[in-house]
């Protein structure tokens, strides 16, 4: 019998896609990796797992044939940080995958890569933002003292394979890192829906300032006869979230929705 290829996706907050009641906040990267994993799961050659953060769940859970392993805690303190690193490496060893797949810009990219170098594993990284492929931007952040960017950079520069989302990122990565990459655009399993009325303009994203939801609010003001819907869950800046929410509620033709659970999305 042919041995299955073990692939582990390392993405802390993807647990919310498997278990919406966990309270974890997700973005596009979490959903993308979930969709990729689900498609790979259908191929009998692969054994798929996820390493996620600790949200109080069981150590190991199985969702539709995908093993989900609980990793590091989300509680921030010096001792928890040290504990987190130890737990993270233990879980990587416990999973013992052939391929580790990361996507976000975090210190765990560096930790994952270090583990892969030590134990001769393959590390694939899928970029989720143009910042990740722009070396001068990363180095600028490191000079300002960001440990997050430092550990990311130390890992990213030794990645075995890089996947980008568009041609522009592929070119930037080649120019600034001299890395070769593969372009795989985002894709989603869309259900066929007939006779659906499209009577509003929709904007969906996390409450990040660089996503510029304020432009969408200005757009709604410019077209008062059209209906607009802004779906924006809070991210890491509660003050910014409340500011956008306050501005949106002042626009009569704009409905503000503070997030929709992934399980409620019919796409």
């Amino acid at each position: 019998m042919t041995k299955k290829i073990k692939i582990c996706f390392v993405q802390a907050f993807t647990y919310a896609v498997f278990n919406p009641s966990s309270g974890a906040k997700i973005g596009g990267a979490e959903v993308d990796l979930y969709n990729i994993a689900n498609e790979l799961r259908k191929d009998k050659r692969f054994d798929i797992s996820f390493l996620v953060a600790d949200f109080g769940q069981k150590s190991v859970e199985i969702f539709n044939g995908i093993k989900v392993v609980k990793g590091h805690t989300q509680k921030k303190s010096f001792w928890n940080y040290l504990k987190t690193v130890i737990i993270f490496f233990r879980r990587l060893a416990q999973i013992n995958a052939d391929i580790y797949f990361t996507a976000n810009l975090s210190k765990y990219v560096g930790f994952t890569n270090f583990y892969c170098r030590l134990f001769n594993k393959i590390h694939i990284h899928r970029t989720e933002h143009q910042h990740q492929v722009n070396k001068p931007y990363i180095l600028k952040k490191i000079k300002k003292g960001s440990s997050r960017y430092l550990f990311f950079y130390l890992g990213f520069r030794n990645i075995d394979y890089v996947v980008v989302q568009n041609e522009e990122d592929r070119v930037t990565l080649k120019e600034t890192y001299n890395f070769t990459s593969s372009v795989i655009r985002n894709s989603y399993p869309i259900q066929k829906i007939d006779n659906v009325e499209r009577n509003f303009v929709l904007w969906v994203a996390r409450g990040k300032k660089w996503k510029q939801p304020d432009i969408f609010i200005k757009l709604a003001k410019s077209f008062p006869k059209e209906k607009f819907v802004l779906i924006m869950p809070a991210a890491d800046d509660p003050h910014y979230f409340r500011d956008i929410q306050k501005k949106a509620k002042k626009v009569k033709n704009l409905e503000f929705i503070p997030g929709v659970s992934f399980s409620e999305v019919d796409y």
Side-chain angles (χ1 to χ4, degrees):
M1 183 177 179
T2 305
K3 180 183 176 183
K4 288 188 176 184
I5 299 172
K6 298 175 69 175
I7 303 175
C8 174
F9 292 85
V10 182
Q11 191 79 354
F13 293 96
T14 304
Y15 186 66
V17 185
F18 292 102
N19 181 7
S21 65
S22 67
K25 298 172 183 177
I26 63 171
E30 285 76 19
V31 176
D32 290 340
L33 263 60
Y34 172 81
N35 286 331
I36 292 171
N38 255 317
E39 289 303 311
L40 288 173
R41 173 189 59 81
K42 299 173 185 177
D43 191 322
K44 300 301 181 182
R45 295 174 298 170
F46 302 117
D47 180 353
I48 307 300
S49 63
F50 266 88
L51 176 56
V52 299
D54 181 354
F55 296 99
Q57 73 272 33
K58 295 179 181 179
S59 297
V60 179
E61 296 175 299
I62 305 295
F63 294 91
N64 199 23
I66 297 176
K67 182 188 294 184
V68 180
V69 179
K70 179 174 70 175
H72 56 284
T73 180
Q74 294 297 298
K75 297 177 181 178
K76 295 182 179 180
S77 72
F78 176 75
W79 293 112
N80 276 337
Y81 185 84
L82 293 178
K83 183 180 178 182
T84 288
V85 175
I86 295 171
I87 291 175
F88 186 76
F89 279 104
R90 282 181 176 175
R91 295 295 178 267
L92 291 177
Q94 174 189 336
I95 294 168
N96 191 30
D98 301 298
I99 301 170
Y100 289 88
F101 195 115
T102 55
N104 58 344
L105 198 163
S106 78
K107 57 182 176 288
Y108 295 103
V109 173
F111 297 159
T112 301
N113 189 265
F114 180 67
Y115 174 84
C116 289
R117 300 280 73 76
L118 279 179
F119 297 99
N120 196 30
K121 306 291 186 177
I122 295 173
H123 186 184
I124 299 174
H125 184 83
R126 176 186 181 277
T127 62
E128 61 177 2
H129 193 279
Q130 60 188 11
H131 289 164
Q132 294 186 22
V133 300
N134 191 326
K135 185 177 179 179
Y137 176 85
I138 297 294
L139 294 179
K140 183 178 179 181
K141 288 289 187 178
I142 293 172
K143 287 181 179 179
K144 289 183 177 180
S146 173
S147 60
R148 171 193 172 199
Y149 282 83
L150 174 61
F151 282 112
F152 168 80
Y153 175 71
L154 291 175
F156 187 71
R157 66 181 184 176
N158 292 308
I159 295 288
D160 295 298
Y161 300 100
V162 179
V163 177
V164 296
Q165 299 183 45
N166 53 66
E167 185 63 23
E168 182 182 354
D169 286 354
R170 186 194 68 79
V171 172
T172 303
L173 185 68
K174 183 64 176 177
E175 290 177 346
T176 64
Y177 279 96
N178 195 28
F179 283 1
T180 300
S181 60
S182 300
V183 177
I184 301 179
R185 302 183 187 281
N186 291 339
S187 60
Y188 299 89
I190 300 175
Q191 299 178 13
K192 184 179 180 181
I193 303 175
D194 298 319
N195 302 319
V196 176
E197 290 188 23
R198 302 181 185 276
N199 52 15
F200 58 86
V201 182
L202 177 66
W203 187 96
V204 184
R206 289 176 298 155
K208 292 278 191 177
K209 193 172 184 178
W210 61 265
K211 291 180 180 287
Q212 300 179 299
D214 51 305
I215 293 179
F216 187 74
I217 295 175
K218 291 178 182 178
L219 186 66
K221 289 180 180 179
S222 300
F223 296 90
K225 293 183 179 181
E226 301 295 332
K227 182 180 178 181
F228 291 76
V229 177
L230 192 161
I231 301 177
M232 191 188 83
D236 51 6
D237 188 343
H239 298 291
Y240 181 71
F241 173 81
R242 287 193 293 269
D243 181 56
I244 292 296
Q245 185 179 41
K246 185 177 179 180
K247 289 179 180 178
K249 288 186 175 181
K250 291 181 180 179
V251 183
K252 292 182 179 180
N253 61 319
L254 173 61
E255 179 184 1
F256 180 87
I257 301 174
V260 175
S261 171
F262 180 74
S263 60
E264 298 178 54
V265 178
D266 186 12
Y267 65 92

